[in-house]
Amino acid sequence: MKLQTQKTDKNFDAARHVCGRSQFLDDLTPPEGTLYAVVFYARAAYGHIKRLNTSPALACKGVVAVLTAEDILQRGGENQIGGIIPDEPLLAEHDVHFWGQPVAVVVATSAVLAREATQYIECEVEPLPVITDPREAAAQGELIMPPRTMECGNVDAVWAACDVVVEGTAENGGQEHLYLETQGALAIPTEGGGVKIISSTQGPTAVQRAAAKVLGLPMHLIEVDVLRLGGGFGGKEDQATPWAVMAALAALKLNRPVKLVLPRQEDMRMTGKRHPYSSDFKIGLTKDGKILALEVSFYQDAGAAADLSPAVLDRTLFHCVNSYYIPNVRATGYSCRTNVPPNTAFRGFGGPQGMFLVEAAIYRAAEALGVDASAIQAKNLLQEGDTFPYGQVTERCNARRTWNDAEKAFDVAGIYQKAHEFNASNKWHKKGVAVMPICFGISFTNTMMNQASALVHVYSDGSVSVSTGAVEMGQGVNTKIAQTAMTIFSLPPHRVKVQTTNTSRAANTSPTAASAGADLNGKATELACEEILKRLLLTAREELNAQEHDSIELREEFVHHNGAKTALSWNNLIQAAFFKRVKLSEQAQYATPRIHFDKTTMKGHPFAYHVYGTAIIEATIDCLRGTYTIDNVQAVHDFGQSFNRVVDLGQAEGAIAQGIGWMTMEEVIYSKEGRLLTDALSTYKVPDMHSTPRMDVRFLEHSMNPMGIMNSKAVGEPPFMYGIGAYFALMNAIKAFRMGTGQIAIKAPMSPERVLMALYAPLHEPQLTEISHEA
Amino acid sequence: MNVPITVTINGTAYTRDVEPRQLLVHFLRETLNLTGTHIGCDTSSCGACTIMLNGQTVKSCTLLAAQADGAEIMTVEGLATDGKLHPIQEGFWQEHGLQCGFCTPGMMMAGVQILKNNPNPTEEEIRHGLEGNFCRCTGYHNIVKSIQYAAKKSAAM
């Protein structure tokens, strides 16, 4: 069906946002009698709990209850919230495994009183040796799961045929999500022993499932409702669950509503982040820069429990060739158990780490060949019909198109030339340029998660209600879903309302993640609306006594007969259908077609499609201070046929800013004792007004994508990885200052202090002195 | 022992007894149910709680409610008058200066201050004026454009 997409350049929430009237979890007026919960957490990163005495807290003013693991067992529940592997208790029982691990929940008449009482809880932990380094964990056999390997061609046989073989290591740091709205939930007991949980989660079903397990209840007694999130970025995919379940546990024990909202510092201390990786690579090329082989080992810092780490590691393997065709690859991933909070989903979901590594390998290979990395990048870009290491063949491959368009649109050769001239005439400021192509697969790599449902009602007054599993967190998914319904019914915005995400209206939902929220839920909405439309057109045909071959369509709230507007309005049509007892509701499910993946062979067709793009990033460093600016990011990005350019461009710009943050200023630091040192905005720096570069993101022309909603492409994650280019632009600027002497270790983030040390590191000294952090 | 305070917020006078340690942001949100002012970091870093107090922007998580006794306060809820949006609100809407919307009220209040200091600010002056506000969703550029839009709109009024 060919449709003119309903255009809107507004996020539908904007009107409420600018008036301060959009409600976030903490803005809801709590029901009468609501109690407030505060979490008591471990102050040791690893050890046995020798003694836990909560009674002094219980004696405090206002305190109604103090809950521990015992309360879960008493009601016959299971103290377990691990989603992929059951290795994570809701509340610590015998041991603690990370500094900040929840141990008890204090419930009081106010949050202030509950917080005061937590300091009287006595918890003695007999300490055990703490591991904060993934390679050390691997050496001690502390793996979350057996290593995983993805392989194609025959790496071992090819090294001898290579003109150049380069080996090295690369490391990347973690990243705090810093959604501006912290984690939180409000749980309200319902009749029959159930509970309604209003949660700030990307995964309402994840909350429902975990609550059912911990509370020992069937899922139908738990209703989870999500209005909107003040940012998620993956941090609320699995890790919104504990707080929601704790609130529900307390609500059912006390038969009172219970609210739990984390203060920022507790949120930063207790929740996991993007995974740091330490990785090895070996890359083999011909002398003219054709990559023949890549062998990589990833040591992923999973933290103290599996959480989503296995799936994150899978995506690292999928994306360790980025936008390049490499015929022989062996990529092995180790998910390493350490004593930091379980690391989790974060925009890109392991992809950025894989892509950072292959870019590091290419960077080193370029040094060995005496060329700029962009020469190797350009030579190896994917083409139509190339096969990825996981067996999928490219279709509508736009890698070279985005590269070529960017080269032309932004005069890349001129940018390099200008930087060269600048560097020749400036001693204490140096410029660096890097090109960053990206290729990102769209679909959950766990095939079964690629399904969504929509429930559409047309009410008798002609207003339309849409419920799906998608969670709005600023990415504009509700706007896109509303646009889908508006397009099919040809209605203006005020006719369509996208409802809260609620497990009673959309069951068994996948989290809103993997950039796939609009595709999956939008397609389900499309299916449901089209079914209703079919019935409405039949009714219209009867009302107009139209012939079988006449064309009947809806246009701008009126029925059109053979192209001519009739007197039958949308409202009258709905009334007529209602009186004729025509079904005005529809529930539909969408399951992404064609995709499959065999986890034993690591082969298949895991992605519905790929998103491509190419960015050019420029940076300038101050060689006396180590400070720098990322000056400019220019990109040609593959949005497919964007049907909301304003929303999509906003996503791209935000992702680029966040990607640069990860690669430059955002540094998560734990002490050797496993305590998070960067646990406030005073010590953890995110991009501000001054640190985002100029951006010029262009839409790749003529990119069709029938696998995406309305021919568009998913946009949430892919542009994040342009940020990797900022790292290598800084490397090039440092190199310009050092005139090519010595080799700089590849270790992100490239904070100003690292830049300064790299500028003046001794010649021919590949390793930087490590910064020591004491608690 | 609670202390009595009187504050005028968005043109309405409120007299309440407050706990001496209560933060102004909690007073606004919990006592008066003015929840448009958000709490992002608790430590005066993120600016989500920015309001106008006696004509100057302040971070309401850094003041005690008791300190605001006698003050004139404007919050995001007071920006629109007679159902008509303030130019700054129009700007954030028109220029897509928001995504999740959580930082938006604080950003807009900071924007009001910028335009009060200088009705025709340069881009650099706008960025300087927004240094105390974080947004994690956008790349900030549309926020700058939103304030430029408001400046133009105000000049035309």
Side-chain angles (χ1 to χ4, degrees), chain A residues 223-285:
Chain A
E223 177 187 357
V224 180
D225 192 83
V226 187
L227 186 47
R228 66 165 60 73
L229 273 51
F233 313 114
K236 295 172 182 172
E237 182 175 341
D238 256 29
Q239 299 211 356
T241 298
W243 331 110
V245 178
M246 286 175 202
L249 181 68
L252 287 188
K253 181 182 169 90
L254 302 167
N255 202 27
R256 300 263 296 268
V258 174
K259 182 169 164 178
L260 196 170
V261 174
L262 295 185
R264 177 61 62 184
Q265 189 172 53
E266 292 179 12
D267 187 306
M268 292 177 88
R269 286 175 171 177
M270 291 194 278
T271 64
K273 305 167 197 323
R274 184 185 297 284
H275 295 77
Y277 278 58
S278 179
S279 312
D280 301 321
F281 63 81
K282 182 176 176 184
I283 187 169
L285 309 90

Side-chain angles (χ1 to χ4, degrees), chain A residues 51-74:
Chain A
R51 196 171 72 91
L52 177 63
N53 181 15
T54 58
S55 46
L58 193 56
C60 290
K61 182 186 166 195
V63 173
V64 180
V66 182
L67 284 74
T68 63
E70 192 56 35
D71 291 276
I72 300 168
L73 306 178
Q74 269 174 15

Side-chain angles (χ1 to χ4, degrees), chain A residues 8 30 88-89 128 298 328-329 399 412 500 518 567 580 633 640 662:
Chain A
T8 172
E88 190 178 354
L128 290 165
F298 294 101
N328 303 285
V329 177
V412 174
T500 61
K580 288 185 163 177
V633 177
W662 173 52

